[in-house]
Amino acid sequence: MRRPWALSRRRFLKTSGAIVVAFAMPPAVLGSHPDAAGAAPARNASADPAQLDSWLAIAGNGSVTVLTGKVELGMGVSTAFAQIVAEELDVPVRAVSVVMGDTARTPDQGGVGGSTSISIGAKPVRQAAAEARRVLLDLASARLGAPAAQLSVRDGVVRRVDDPTRTASYGELIGGRHFDVALTAGGGSYTLGVTGSARPKSPDQYTIVGTSVPRIDIPDKATGRFTYVVDVRVPGMVHGRVIRPPVPGATLLRAEDAPGVPGLIKVVTRGNFAGVVAETEWGAIQAARTLTLKWSITTATWPAMADLYAAMWAMPARTRRVMAQVGDVDGALASAGRTIQARYEWPFQAHAMMGPGCAVAEVRDRGATVWSSTQHPHQLQRGIAELLGFPADAVHVIWVEGAGSYGRSGAEDVAGDAALLSQAVGRPVRVQWMRADDTAWDPKGPPVVMAVRAGLDERGTIVAWDYLARAFSGSGIPPSPATAGNLLAGQLTGRSAAGVDVPTTVQENYAFAAKRKVGEIVPWPQDGSPLRTSNLRAPSQPATTFGGESFVDEIAAAVGVDPLEFRLRYLRNPRDLAVVRAAAQRAGWTSRPSPQSGISRSGLATGRGIAYAPRGNTLVATVAEVEVNQATGQVHVTRLVIAHDCGLIINPDGLLGTIEANAVQSTSRSLKEEVHWGPSGVTSVDWVTYPILRAPEIPDHIEVVLINRPDLPPFGAGEPASVTTAPAIANAIFDATGARLRTVPFTPARVKTALQHRA
């Protein structure tokens, strides 16, 4: 039996369908709330963040609906939101449902990014719930004839303390009606916040937050009842496919028909955008394969893959930013008794979602509805509107969960494809990319090259640290799809992505006497390219931490000091020290320098490595244990131990799952993932040419140490555990073999080359 509190995707879509109808209808009866189940005739909900009703609704049966512009990426954020609201309202978690990312129903909170859904995005939700509780107690006070201070709440029922038989449920007090209470809204987008008269609970009052409430989305996912974006169906819907230029920059000269394809509705061309629409999905696939397109002859302007890193160092920097500087670095380096330096390389990587991108668009004369797994529904609304030539409020974007989302993937681009095709045929169009469309044409995580040098005194103490990260912009395609040019369809129809330079550098808290950290951006062609660059999970920090923490390890080895002890010498913040020590303690770390003594130069070698990093206010330390087959170069991670401090923990089990998923994906990115390309385009287009970690290859053991900080607010957890894996593995390989890996991924070929060149 379906649990009554579970957020049913089918019910969600059914409700969303009602909104589609309401989209074209005048407001109905005032005084009822459309998100209060069982409420009589509804009016269009306002998404004005300064109205309590925009955040929360209570039905006649007491059930609570939360409305948020954030979306679920599979890490349990919806459950955490339900916990937070249940905590403030004193209702069971099972009484709370969460509506996410619907531009007609939810406030614009900037979408999802930077692991901020809980740390920032939950703040207005918490405040709204606290305000709702205050209002409900005032209503109960009038009904029960007692001051609010003499009332208690349990499971959504208010009682007089002096006479528990006198009660009023939330449903009785306001069920199905509006609160009509104003809040004070401030900030905007990611920083949108609200304040009211109520004060949320303090952590010492929590009974729900901090407990391992089961995920509200898992039952339907585990039993196949869950509705993903690929499952969306709309009456009259047809199917589309797109055909990309054979070479970036090629111009579409002519399109011929796709003869003999049953059900073909139309061949659609607009600038360099080409697609087909057919009655069936198979018809669309056949039409896309048989369609004859004539393109101009051109060649890509990018360097050969083998020359990428040399080319990046040779290019003049377009943007250079000193991100941090302490002391006289140049002077300290000049006077140092010893100088060590090294360079590191991180490749293009794909989002590689388990299911290719998919979207449905229904474009009519005066407006459009788009079902998308975008991380930024309200921003996509504006981008789609510009693409179609509509005002923004004529487009309704409904978020539906997709098959993974790790930044600015292809989810937004496929929505643009569906919108253009639907506009061309005047019918709802579903576009699902093929595997090659997704792996080849999703925006890529940019490559990063790093140069690090350090000066040491005669005792082996670091007196200067000079870190440079040079990259293509991680926002060549801005993560927010708020313009038509942000979408691939927009670029192919003549618009520009208008990317911005966001230099990156390493995040660390080491107390070096002199320290400089510089980020540089070198130019890279973006528009209409399969190698355009954008955010990929923990944008660029897995790369920069790989460079920083590998180099710390190299210095520790050079001075013959245990890598753990060496790090602890330069950390001062108690939280930094605690997280590093917690990982080492759980791992059973034995103090000794790396590499270990007595290494055999053949056979199976084992070793351990450590890495630490902050990401924002969250701190992570990872210990990796590996086996290296020195004959084949194959690396297997036998154990990962991760200590994680993200402040106040909302849901321990949910957090564990998020960290473990980070560990698996980042191991894959460390060992396997690298985009390949040739003169005509990306050549890594499927799971064979773009391999990811398979189930037998995941670490044998993943152990997580959660450090709860009830005295601190919750910080981000969606990305931090991704950043320390690569350097921990590289350091473990060095410990096992004496070979240093400075280029990701650690493929067997690279490992064998490193083994051949070790001292």
Side-chain angles (χ1 to χ4, degrees), residues 570-641:
Y570 296 97
L571 292 174
R572 300 291 183 269
N573 185 300
R575 288 181 63 214
D576 290 316
L577 292 165
V579 76
V580 172
R581 287 170 173 155
Q585 182 177 8
R586 172 64 69 87
W589 187 273
T590 300
S591 181
R592 59 169 173 75
S594 286
Q596 59 188 295
S597 60
I599 293 175
S600 170
R601 299 177 76 87
S602 63
L604 196 65
T606 61
R608 87 287 195 261
I610 188 169
Y612 135 89
R615 176 162 176 78
N617 290 314
T618 296
L619 304 170
V620 180
T622 297
V623 173
E625 296 178 0
V626 303
E627 293 177 347
V628 183
N629 186 321
Q630 298 186 84
T632 66
Q634 197 75 38
V635 176
H636 179 65
V637 179
T638 56
R639 187 185 183 203
L640 287 177
V641 177

Side-chain angles (χ1 to χ4, degrees), residues 292-665:
T292 300
L293 299 173
K294 179 68 174 178
W295 299 88
S296 66
I297 298 174
T298 187
T299 56
T301 57
W302 49 42
M305 183 178 171
D307 300 331
L308 173 67
Y309 301 126
M312 292 179 70
W313 283 118
M315 295 175 186
R318 183 171 62 197
T319 299
R320 174 184 171 86
R321 189 173 300 165
V322 178
M323 316 289 276
Q325 178 150 2
V326 176
D328 179 8
V329 174
D330 294 325
L333 283 169
S335 60
R338 183 182 181 187
T339 301
I340 299 174
Q341 58 187 349
R343 287 187 172 187
Y344 304 89
E345 298 159 343
W346 190 276
F348 278 108
Q349 290 187 326
H351 288 78
M353 297 190 298
M354 295 304 294
C358 181
V360 177
E362 182 175 13
V363 182
R364 302 298 185 185
D365 291 341
R366 302 175 62 183
T369 302
V370 177
W371 290 262
S372 167
S373 60
T374 175
Q375 288 187 199
H376 302 86
H378 291 82
Q379 290 65 43
L380 182 64
Q381 176 190 38
R382 297 196 286 274
I384 293 289
E386 183 184 343
L387 184 69
L388 298 174
F390 290 157
D393 60 4
V395 175
H396 179 191
V397 174
I398 301 170
W399 167 81
V400 189
E401 191 168 343
S405 188
Y406 312 114
R408 174 60 173 86
S409 65
E412 289 80 5
D413 295 316
V414 71
D417 294 343
L420 275 190
L421 295 177
S422 177
Q423 188 176 44
V425 300
R427 297 176 65 180
V429 175
R430 175 183 183 271
V431 176
Q432 180 168 1
W433 283 0
M434 306 295 275
R435 167 52 53 195
D437 295 328
D438 197 283
T439 310
W441 282 91
D442 74 317
K444 305 296 186 294
V448 185
V449 291
M450 295 140 279
V452 198
R453 56 178 178 161
L456 285 70
D457 65 15
E458 66 280 0
R459 294 173 296 178
T461 300
I462 295 177
V463 297
W465 171 272
D466 194 16
Y467 183 102
L468 169 63
R470 171 174 278 221
F472 303 145
S473 176
S475 294
I477 303 297
S480 172
T483 67
N486 185 283
L487 307 172
L488 182 55
Q491 295 157 28
L492 294 174
T493 54
R495 296 175 175 84
S496 174
V500 295
D501 287 353
V502 182
T504 186
T505 191
V506 67
Q507 294 189 40
E508 44 77 26
N509 293 326
Y510 292 120
F512 302 135
K515 178 165 61 176
R516 178 169 56 210
K517 297 191 287 189
V518 176
E520 292 182 342
I521 297 296
V522 290
W524 184 250
Q526 297 286 343
D527 294 341
S529 168
L531 286 178
R532 62 200 189 285
T533 53
S534 193
N535 284 359
L536 175 59
R537 198 171 198 172
S540 294
Q541 198 185 344
T544 56
T545 298
F546 166 62
E549 284 297 286
S550 293
F551 191 61
V552 169
D553 218 67
E554 294 209 46
I555 302 173
V559 298
V561 177
D562 170 68
L564 168 65
E565 171 58 29
F566 192 74
R567 285 169 171 80
L568 293 176
R569 287 181 183 180
Y570 296 97
L571 292 174
R572 300 291 183 269
N573 185 300
R575 288 181 63 214
D576 290 316
L577 292 165
V579 76
V580 172
R581 287 170 173 155
Q585 182 177 8
R586 172 64 69 87
W589 187 273
T590 300
S591 181
R592 59 169 173 75
S594 286
Q596 59 188 295
S597 60
I599 293 175
S600 170
R601 299 177 76 87
S602 63
L604 196 65
T606 61
R608 87 287 195 261
I610 188 169
Y612 135 89
R615 176 162 176 78
N617 290 314
T618 296
L619 304 170
V620 180
T622 297
V623 173
E625 296 178 0
V626 303
E627 293 177 347
V628 183
N629 186 321
Q630 298 186 84
T632 66
Q634 197 75 38
V635 176
H636 179 65
V637 179
T638 56
R639 187 185 183 203
L640 287 177
V641 177
I642 303 161
H644 195 280
D645 174 356
C646 60
L648 170 70
I649 296 173
I650 305 297
N651 186 318
D653 272 1
L655 179 57
L656 282 172
T658 296
I659 294 170
E660 289 168 354
N662 268 279
V664 172
Q665 187 188 30

Side-chain angles (χ1 to χ4, degrees), residues 168-208:
S169 72
Y170 284 171
E172 293 169 339
L173 292 169
I174 202 168
R177 292 180 287 116
H178 285 275
F179 284 94
D180 287 325
V181 171
L183 303 170
T184 300
S189 188
Y190 276 84
T191 63
L192 175 63
V194 298
T195 56
S197 301
R199 184 174 183 177
K201 292 180 180 179
S202 60
D204 61 357
Q205 298 175 289
Y206 287 167
T207 59
I208 299 173

